C-alpha cells in the first residue's frame, strides 16, 4: 500500500482565498483524522471520521474550516476564506478499527497564507 | 479532558549517551499510550505503544512502561545514535461510547544527538 497520500505537499496562497487540502487514507481503514501542527500550539486534532461519518469536529477552529469525506477513499479539508494565522502543516492520518490501532500519518501539507 | 505533558527541548546529547524523555498524562477513562517520532520534513511514525498498566512498549532500542500509578510513560534508550535525532511526541488515545477518539499529543521534544 502507498500509505496515506496528501496533496498538495505545499500551498502558498493569499489571504482571503479558498484553500482545499486533500487526503487519501489507507485502503480498509475505518478512521480518518485531520491534525494541524504549529510551533505555538503543537499538534492539534481538528476533526475525525469513522466510516465516512464525522464523529468529533470540536477541534475545528471556526466556521471558516470545513471537512468532508464523501467516500472511504477521499477526504477534503477546506478553509474559506484563508487567513495568515492558518499557516501550518496539516496532517491527515488513518487507522483501523481494532483497539489501540496505529494511526498512519501522511507527509503533510505545508500551508502558507500571505 | 485529556492532556499530555512532556519535557520540551531541545535536548542535546552525545552519541552513546543514555536518553530519558519524560511524559505524564491526564485522561478520562483508561487510555492507550504512544510515542511517535517525526523526522525533518516527514509525517509522524509510531515508535512504540502500550495499552494497559505495566505494559512495556519497545522498538529500535527505545522503551517505555505504562505507569498508571504515576500517570507516566517515559521514553528511554540506553545508547543513542546520531540517527535518533528527531522530534518525539508522547500521545494518548481514549475510547468513548462512539468508539476510539483521536490522539492527544504532547508538545514534542526535539532531540539532537552530536557525534
Amino acid at each position: 500500500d502507498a500509505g496515506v497520500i496528501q496533496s498538495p505537499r505545499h500551498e502558498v496562497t493569499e489571504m482571503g482565498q479558498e484553500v482545499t487540502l486533500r487526503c487519501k487514507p489507507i485502503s480498509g481503514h475505518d478512521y480518518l483524522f485531520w491534525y494541524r501542527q504549529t510551533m505555538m500550539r503543537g499538534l492539534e486534532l481538528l476533526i475525525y471520521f469513522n466510516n465516512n461519518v464525522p464523529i468529533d469536529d470540536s477541534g475545528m477552529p471556526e466556521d471558516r474550516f470545513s471537512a468532508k469525506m464523501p467516500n472511504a477513499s477521499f477526504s477534503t479539508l477546506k478553509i474559506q476564506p484563508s487567513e495568515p494565522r492558518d499557516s501550518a502543516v496539516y496532517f491527515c492520518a488513518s487507522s483501523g478499527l481494532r483497539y489501540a490501532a496505529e494511526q498512519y500519518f501522511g507527509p503533510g501539507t505545508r500551508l502558507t497564507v500571505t | 479532558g485529556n492532556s499530555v505533558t512532556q519535557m520540551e527541548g531541545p535536548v542535546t546529547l552525545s552519541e552513546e549517551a543514555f536518553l530519558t524523555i519524560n511524559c505524564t498524562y491526564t485522561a478520562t477513562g483508561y487510555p492507550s499510550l504512544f510515542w511517535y517520532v517525526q523526522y525533518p520534513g516527514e509525517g509522524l511514525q509510531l515508535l512504540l505503544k502500550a495499552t494497559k498498566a505495566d505494559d512495556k512498549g519497545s522498538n529500535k532500542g527505545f522503551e517505555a512502561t505504562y505507569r498508571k500509578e504515576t500517570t507516566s510513560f517515559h521514553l528511554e534508550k540506553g545508547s543513542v545514535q546520531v540517527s535518533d535525532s528527531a522530534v518525539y511526541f508522547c500521545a494518548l488515545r481514549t475510547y468513548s461510547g462512539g468508539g476510539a477518539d483521536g490522539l492527544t499529543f504532547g508538545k514534542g521534544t526535539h532531540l539532537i544527538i552530536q557525534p
Side-chain angles (χ1 to χ4, degrees):
Chain A
D1 200 311
V4 176
I5 299 172
Q6 290 187 248
S7 65
R9 292 293 308 274
H10 302 273
E11 176 80 30
V12 180
T13 191
E14 292 183 348
M15 182 173 63
Q17 296 299 305
E18 177 179 294
V19 175
T20 300
L21 311 182
R22 297 173 176 80
C23 175
K24 177 178 167 54
I26 292 174
S27 177
H29 279 184
D30 300 286
Y31 286 92
L32 183 139
F33 306 84
W34 284 99
Y35 294 90
R36 178 172 68 174
Q37 185 178 34
T38 61
M39 289 293 292
M40 290 297 295
R41 300 175 66 89
L43 271 161
E44 304 171 279
L45 175 66
L46 300 178
I47 184 172
Y48 74 96
F49 297 82
N50 182 9
N51 290 325
N52 313 337
V53 176
I55 302 300
D56 184 355
D57 65 354
S58 60
M60 296 284 263
E62 46 196 276
D63 291 346
R64 297 184 297 106
F65 286 69
S66 62
K68 294 181 179 179
M69 192 165 186
N71 57 62
S73 59
F74 184 66
S75 177
T76 59
L77 178 67
K78 186 175 294 186
I79 308 172
Q80 166 62 20
S82 58
E83 296 182 2
R85 61 193 167 117
D86 302 329
S87 298
V89 181
Y90 291 81
F91 289 104
C92 176
S94 69
S95 77
L97 189 60
R98 63 182 172 84
Y99 187 77
E102 175 181 354
Q103 289 189 21
Y104 292 83
F105 282 75
T109 295
R110 181 174 294 278
L111 173 65
T112 303
V113 183
T114 61
Chain B
N2 298 336
S3 68
V4 176
T5 302
Q6 62 180 105
M7 53 194 297
E8 295 188 33
V11 173
T12 303
L13 296 173
S14 297
E15 204 165 21
E16 299 184 2
F18 184 86
L19 169 70
T20 299
I21 301 177
N22 290 335
C23 171
T24 57
Y25 67 90
T26 58
T28 55
Y30 202 132
S32 295
L33 303 175
F34 305 83
W35 277 100
Y36 279 80
V37 58
Q38 184 178 31
Y39 298 101
E42 298 183 10
L44 281 73
Q45 304 172 26
L46 179 66
L47 180 61
L48 53 85
K49 68 180 182 183
T51 59
K52 60 183 187 295
D54 300 325
D55 265 2
K56 178 185 284 188
S58 61
N59 186 26
K60 299 181 181 179
F62 291 90
E63 293 182 340
T65 300
Y66 191 144
R67 300 290 188 199
K68 193 170 188 292
E69 64 277 13
T70 55
T71 61
S72 65
F73 192 55
H74 305 321
L75 183 68
E76 296 182 336
K77 186 175 185 182
S79 176
V80 293
Q81 306 300 313
V82 172
S83 57
D84 294 327
S85 298
V87 181
Y88 292 80
F89 294 89
C90 185
L92 68 83
R93 191 177 189 186
T94 53
Y95 301 84
S96 59
D101 300 326
L103 288 165
T104 299
F105 286 94
K107 288 288 181 69
T109 301
H110 186 193
L111 177 65
I112 300 170
I113 307 300
Q114 296 178 333

